[in-house]
Amino acid sequence: MLNDLYQIVDLDELDPMFDEVARFIVQNQQGSTSAVQHRFLIGYNRAGRIMAQIEAAGIIGSVEGSNPREVLIKDMVSLEMLLENYTYCSQSEELLLRRKKNEEIQRQQWIEEQQRLEREQIVYKIKERHRIKQLEKIIRQELIDSGELFGEQPKRPPIPKEVVDAVYTRDGGRCVYCGSIQNIHIDHIIPFSKGGATNVENLQLLCQKCNLEKSNKIG
Ligand SMILES: [Zn+2]
């Protein structure tokens, strides 16, 4: 029982009485647990724990049979130096703890940053997918318009070349909304699916961007 106690020594958590008991022992050059108990009015278990700490700190020797423990530190100056060293150690322990805490905070910030980046990537992917879907819609319509692809329900016949030419000439080869000459194609003003005719009056030139905006408004 006693021996078990002596083996569990944590010098990082010194008993608050550690210094005082150590001084008492070195001053009297006597390493007796019961003397410590009586001098400091503490219980047997606590006295045992302090003695174990004092032994682990190298101030007293171990228990050998019924002989009194040897006091290894012979004078107070040596003891004070040793105690100072222990105080120093517990201070650097505190520094270490603070550093550990900072590392933990940094790690947490790193994780949050990673999650933010991951979210950004997902948002980008979703937007990109949406953009491609919209483009597909337009290109499909273009393919249907040009006769390369047959539309769904009301199959739209290809626009006659002379009608396309007339619309192109009338609109000057430019998007009637923004004047762009990029990605120009023919658009039904009243959509074909809503009964709009395929004639010069109901057709106009639109760029891809303006057509996208128009089809988004119509839905
Ligand atoms: Zn345009």
Side-chain angles (χ1 to χ4, degrees), residues 21 24-25 28 30-42 47 51:
V21 174
F24 171 73
I25 287 169
N28 296 289
Q30 185 198 29
S32 154
T33 307
S34 61
V36 166
Q37 254 182 279
H38 291 128
R39 169 68 179 74
F40 293 95
L41 303 173
I42 52 178
M51 291 302 272

Side-chain angles (χ1 to χ4, degrees), residues 15 22 53 58 79 116 122 128 130 150 185 188 204 213 219:
D15 190 284
Q53 289 179 340
L79 176 68
R116 196 183 62 75
I122 290 171
E128 190 62 12
H130 178 75
F150 290 110
H185 58 272
H188 281 74
Q204 61 185 359
E213 280 163 13

Side-chain angles (χ1 to χ4, degrees), residues 175 177-178 180 207 210:
C175 169
Y177 284 8
C178 72
S180 170
C207 72
C210 290

